[in-house]
Amino acid sequence: MRDRLRSWVRAEPAAPLDVETWSAPAAREGDIPGAEDCSELLWARGFLLTAEAHRPPLPHWRRERLGGRWLSWDPRTPLAVARAGSAWAAVLGRAIDLDGFSGDTAAIAATLLRARAGGGREALLERLDALSGRYAVFDGDEHSAFVQTDAAGMRAVFYRDGAPEPAVASHAGLVAEHTGAGPSAFPDPELLRAAEGAYALPGRATTFADVVMLTPNTELDLVGGRVRRCFPRRARERRTAGEVVDAVLPLLQGQLAALTETERLEVSLTAGLDSRTTLALTRPFTEKLSYFTYDTVGSGGPTRRGVQHDVAVAAELAGRLGLEHHRIEVERRTPAEPLRSVMERNSPRRSHPGLSEAHRAHTPERGLHLRSNLYEIGRAYYRSKREQPRTLKPAHMVGLLTKGRSQSPELRAAFAEYVDATGFDRAQRLYDPSDLFYWEHRSGMWLNAHLSESDIAFDTFILVNSRLVYRLLLSAPLKDRIAGTVFLELIRRSWPEVLEVPVNGETLR
């Protein structure tokens, strides 16, 4: 497996460095003192990194020196640091190295530091391609410092644009409160959704002026405040669907084996293909896992046939396959105070805050949530809907954001800034721009808000969230990506019986 992975990742040999490592495992929920105002859940699982010493935003947060910078973080998120002389690398969150399937983040940080010393930033980026998980990576020395997110930006990173030595944090509101930023041109994402049909804010924008998101496939130079694109670095590869399955299946299975050794996993089930793929992959580990489905029919909105279908299909699968499955009933869409205000500060763009409240009430000590989003990055989402242009311009991006409902000048300007800041035009010469846009904006900007919302209940892991895995998925022929051929074959090779229950009403055996 390791030799095969090195044929995909052009990694330099590790430099012979004397590396010291330090790590802090994730704190248990019960180790965090509760408060009547729910303040212990503010900026849940978050961090703040600044050039100057700062007071941690909350009393239970910890603080660590990274080179000449200060990092404070919620100890529910694990941290590992590697140091060699003046150079350092840190991994905040959960990661698995696909070269050996190690989840030891201290060893991963050391590997990244050695790659950086032996081959510079290119070697470091090659090693990062082979990481999966939800994390932020920091590295630096006496002259430089950088930060980037996991492959799809699920461990969100925000910063103050245009500032030298910018403050960086897990939540846009935390950056704004630390720097005194006021409202942006898009102060209310719910209003933008209602008026324009927008699934998220445009470009890199947040609700705060000059506070922007570090989008997937880019890294931030913490000294100069500039963004650099770090993927794609080469043109898209081409493989048959069978070759992609051969390559991807052991990468996903190896992660599950590693995770079940150290984590208590809770797997969400719905009626869709992505959820069914994850379920099939878990076959060897079902006795170690629990599965759940949210029932939101009674949460204040109209009864939805899709929700009832998800619940019914999940229950049928659990019964047929002998799974430990829980239906978590969600009584309301919006939590009561004081939790409501805390969650609104954590994520101004709301999905369904009541889910996390219900999960906290259902299970006091929750496990790591194994989620099935992001699979659509490999399924040509936009091209499966309609033909897309060979080159995406800001106007096209506005159309995708709003499903053609708007061509607002403000939205176009935000996407023009995104294209310029992230080097998107160069990237779309190497990869299909529709795939990149779905990966970087539809997934990166949209989904991480959902995860920030759920962070009050649990941390999240998504098996496909690796640049190496996305490279492989995107190398399949377009017709196979639209048809979901790779995912169906992953299911057939892992647990074909899960297809005996129709997928979203369609028989796919």
Side-chain angles (χ1 to χ4, degrees):
M1 179 65 202
R2 182 166 296 184
D3 290 341
R4 181 185 293 179
L5 185 140
R6 285 176 178 164
S7 72
W8 300 326
V9 178
R10 304 176 187 179
E12 296 289 332
L17 278 184
D18 184 14
V19 177
E20 296 181 353
T21 61
W22 171 89
S23 62
R28 290 167 49 90
E29 291 289 337
D31 296 334
I32 307 299
E36 289 187 3
D37 61 358
C38 296
S39 58
E40 80 280 8
L41 300 177
L42 183 62
W43 320 131
R45 305 182 198 277
F47 71 89
L48 174 64
L49 179 71
T50 63
E52 74 285 355
H54 64 263
R55 177 180 296 178
L58 293 161
H60 67 273
W61 280 32
R62 300 182 63 180
R63 190 169 71 159
E64 178 72 11
R65 193 79 180 265
L66 295 180
R69 286 170 169 74
W70 289 94
L71 174 73
S72 61
W73 80 101
D74 183 341
R76 283 171 285 206
T77 301
L79 173 70
V81 182
R83 295 183 175 92
S86 64
W88 50 272
V91 179
L92 180 70
R94 288 174 169 86
I96 293 179
D97 188 342
L98 300 182
D99 184 1
F101 302 109
S102 170
D104 181 345
T105 47
I108 291 171
T111 297
L112 295 176
L113 189 57
R114 289 191 174 99
R116 184 183 190 273
R121 297 218 65 73
E122 179 67 21
L124 175 67
L125 296 177
E126 294 286 350
R127 290 304 315 150
L128 284 169
D129 283 0
L131 293 191
S132 181
R134 186 185 181 212
Y135 55 84
V137 170
F138 312 90
D139 72 279
D141 54 30
E142 70 270 31
H143 304 298
S144 64
F146 297 88
V147 59
Q148 64 172 275
T149 70
D150 55 68
M154 296 298 97
R155 181 72 63 193
V157 172
F158 298 91
Y159 68 99
R160 185 70 181 263
D161 193 28
E165 305 278 350
V168 173
S170 52
H171 297 74
L174 181 51
V175 175
E177 291 188 15
H178 183 78
T179 62
S184 74
F186 310 101
D188 188 345
E190 299 304 306
L191 181 61
L192 188 64
R193 177 159 57 184
E196 309 281 7
Y199 60 75
L201 295 182
R204 307 187 303 153
T206 72
T207 57
F208 303 99
D210 298 322
V211 177
V212 297
M213 177 185 168
L214 182 65
T215 53
N217 296 327
T218 65
E219 64 179 359
L220 174 64
D221 177 349
L222 290 168
V223 175
R226 295 182 179 179
V227 171
R228 303 180 182 184
R229 178 163 286 274
C230 52
F231 187 90
R233 300 184 297 280
R234 296 178 288 276
R236 183 179 74 87
E237 301 136 294
R238 286 173 170 76
R239 298 176 178 83
T240 66
E243 289 170 338
V244 173
V245 176
D246 290 341
V248 167
L249 182 56
L251 297 179
L252 305 183
Q253 291 172 327
Q255 291 180 71
L256 275 169
L259 287 169
T260 52
E261 289 296 318
T262 60
E263 303 282 354
R264 186 170 67 83
L265 294 178
E266 298 184 37
V267 186
S268 50
L269 285 184
T270 66
L273 178 61
D274 298 344
S275 174
R276 203 71 59 92
T277 305
T278 299
L279 172 59
L281 292 166
T282 66
R283 182 178 190 174
F285 314 104
T286 54
E287 293 185 359
K288 297 182 178 182
L289 308 179
S290 64
Y291 301 79
F292 71 91
T293 304
Y294 290 121
D295 184 346
T296 61
V297 169
S299 61
T303 299
R304 293 193 300 163
R305 184 177 301 173
V307 172
Q308 293 173 321
H309 183 60
D310 279 346
V311 173
V313 168
E316 182 177 357
L317 285 166
R320 285 184 179 222
L321 305 175
L323 309 177
E324 179 191 335
H325 178 258
H326 305 278
R327 180 182 69 89
I328 299 180
E329 187 172 353
V330 182
E331 296 181 354
R332 53 193 176 193
R333 185 175 186 84
T334 303
E337 295 290 3
L339 181 58
R340 175 177 179 170
S341 292
V342 169
M343 294 189 72
E344 287 178 351
R345 288 175 71 187
N346 286 351
S347 179
R349 187 173 62 78
R350 293 179 290 282
S351 170
H352 196 313
L355 302 183
S356 302
E357 179 189 39
H359 211 121
R360 288 178 59 83
H362 183 269
T363 312
E365 191 67 36
R366 294 154 298 281
L368 179 65
H369 178 194
L370 191 64
R371 192 166 180 148
S372 301
N373 298 93
L374 301 177
Y375 290 59
E376 285 182 331
I377 290 174
R379 292 218 303 275
Y381 177 87
Y382 285 125
R383 290 199 181 277
S384 69
K385 306 297 181 184
R386 62 182 64 86
E387 186 62 31
Q388 299 295 336
R390 292 179 178 271
T391 300
L392 282 189
K393 298 296 184 183
H396 300 134
M397 296 176 178
V398 174
L400 294 174
L401 174 72
T402 65
K403 295 183 178 179
R405 286 175 54 179
S406 175
Q407 272 303 318
S408 154
E410 292 80 11
L411 297 180
R412 287 202 305 273
F415 278 117
E417 191 278 338
Y418 159 74
V419 168
D420 181 63
T422 68
F424 188 87
D425 278 343
R426 295 191 302 276
Q428 66 177 326
R429 299 187 194 116
L430 300 173
Y431 269 60
D432 186 318
S434 299
D435 289 333
L436 282 177
F437 186 76
Y438 187 88
W439 176 349
E440 296 179 9
H441 196 270
R442 174 72 182 235
S443 296
M445 177 66 85
W446 171 76
L447 184 59
N448 75 37
H450 292 232
L451 269 57
S452 294
E453 191 174 85
S454 69
D455 274 338
I456 68 160
F458 43 63
D459 201 356
T460 302
F461 199 97
I462 302 173
L463 295 173
V464 295
N465 193 24
S466 156
R467 286 201 289 258
L468 172 57
V469 174
Y470 294 142
R471 274 174 48 194
L472 291 166
L473 293 175
L474 291 173
S475 70
L478 178 61
K479 63 180 178 59
D480 288 311
R481 288 191 284 131
I482 291 174
T485 303
V486 168
F487 297 94
L488 289 170
E489 185 60 23
L490 287 171
I491 295 172
R492 294 183 184 113
R493 294 193 192 181
S494 302
W495 201 352
E497 289 79 5
V498 307
L499 290 177
E500 292 177 358
V501 178
V503 178
N504 284 331
E506 183 179 359
T507 301
L508 297 174
R509 285 182 293 177

